Amino acid sequence: MEPKCNLIIDSCCDLPFEVINKPGVSLVRFPYVLDGEEKVDDFYRTTTPKDFYDAMRDKRKLAPTTAQIPATTLIDVFRAAYESGVPTVYLSFSSALSGSYNTACLVQEKLAEEYPEGELYVVDTMLASIAEGLLVLGAIDQRNAGLTAQELVAWAEEARWFVNAQFMVDDLESLHRGGRIPSSIAHAGAKLDVKPLLGFDLKGGLSMVGMSRGRKKGVRAMLDYFRRRSDSDRVARRVIIGHADSAGDAKRFRAELLKTEDGLVFTDTNIGPVIGSHVGPGMVACAFWGPDRREDVGVAERIARRVSF
């Protein structure tokens, strides 16, 4: 079946290059700066995960920084999509963690005036890293199954709530330095010598979901999270396991899953340099399809969502 639309995805989905390097899928690369040198996140095609994270560990070097996708980059990619004549959907990194989504919307609105007959849609995944990656893989499957661009937008805007993800970081310093969490939380975590467990809130921002004493307990907590929430009714039970130069923990996590779970379809990946700049070396993460995260909120928030004033 010939696909009815194309996809644009960004490098913060943290998927292996060979998985997303497909016809009809265009890639947008986030920039970052490492030790004063400007680079782009090219899915480790010009460097290695070990080299990147070793550079982060080297206190003699400047800590890496990141930036939004330049508007000029989005203009080039979006213009090419319009000129292809094929309806296209861009699945964007969470708007709660970057201004790139808002820039993409502005660029799309401007170019739509030049191409009034074209179709290009921008979707806020409200996700990041391998959680975003899981949605991207699902979208590629849906595209290949024949969804139109508008149907794919509707699918993605609903499916994003069923992406369940959790990740353990070695410490919170990198997240604090990047402005992703308050200093009070980072300092508390350092004093207690714990391994923080993080997830995503309903606005696409980071949320603290737990802490564990030591990495082994942190991995066990992630296993418990998966077993409580994984969707055993799905035909393809896809699980993405990502790590930031901590392959041993990722391997152990996968081995434990295989002991008790059947029919899992794994995608293993390295956390890219842009996300890695904020989580630091040692992160381990998992993403999978599970229950609707909107149902996890408290009663007050559920009522507020249903009442207009």
Side-chain angles (χ1 to χ4, degrees), residues 171-190 198 206-208 211:
D171 60 57
L172 293 169
E173 180 54 36
S174 294
L175 284 167
H176 164 52
R177 188 176 62 245
R180 265 48 182 189
I181 61 169
S183 59
S184 57
I185 294 178
H187 293 156
L198 303 173
L206 294 176
S207 63
M208 183 83 71
M211 289 189 177

Side-chain angles (χ1 to χ4, degrees), residues 1 22 48-49 62 76 83 87 91 99 130 162 192 204 222 253:
M1 179 184 296
K22 306 292 184 183
T48 68
L62 296 172
D76 290 342
E83 293 184 350
L91 299 177
I130 62 169
F162 295 84
L192 294 172
M222 289 173 59
F253 181 78

Side-chain angles (χ1 to χ4, degrees), residues 74-85:
L74 291 168
I75 289 171
D76 290 342
V77 174
F78 286 9
R79 188 181 298 279
Y82 275 116
E83 293 184 350
S84 74

Side-chain angles (χ1 to χ4, degrees), residues 239-259:
V239 180
I240 302 180
I241 300 177
H243 68 90
D245 200 26
S246 50
D249 285 326
K251 184 177 180 179
R252 282 188 288 274
F253 181 78
R254 177 173 177 163
E256 289 299 320
L257 284 182
L258 288 172
K259 287 181 181 179

Side-chain angles (χ1 to χ4, degrees), residues 2 17 33 36 48 55 66 85 101 124 128 133 154 160 201 220 251 285:
E2 187 70 21
F17 180 72
V33 177
T48 68
T66 62
Y101 167 76
D124 184 356
R160 63 191 175 188
D201 61 31
R220 285 201 295 269
K251 184 177 180 179

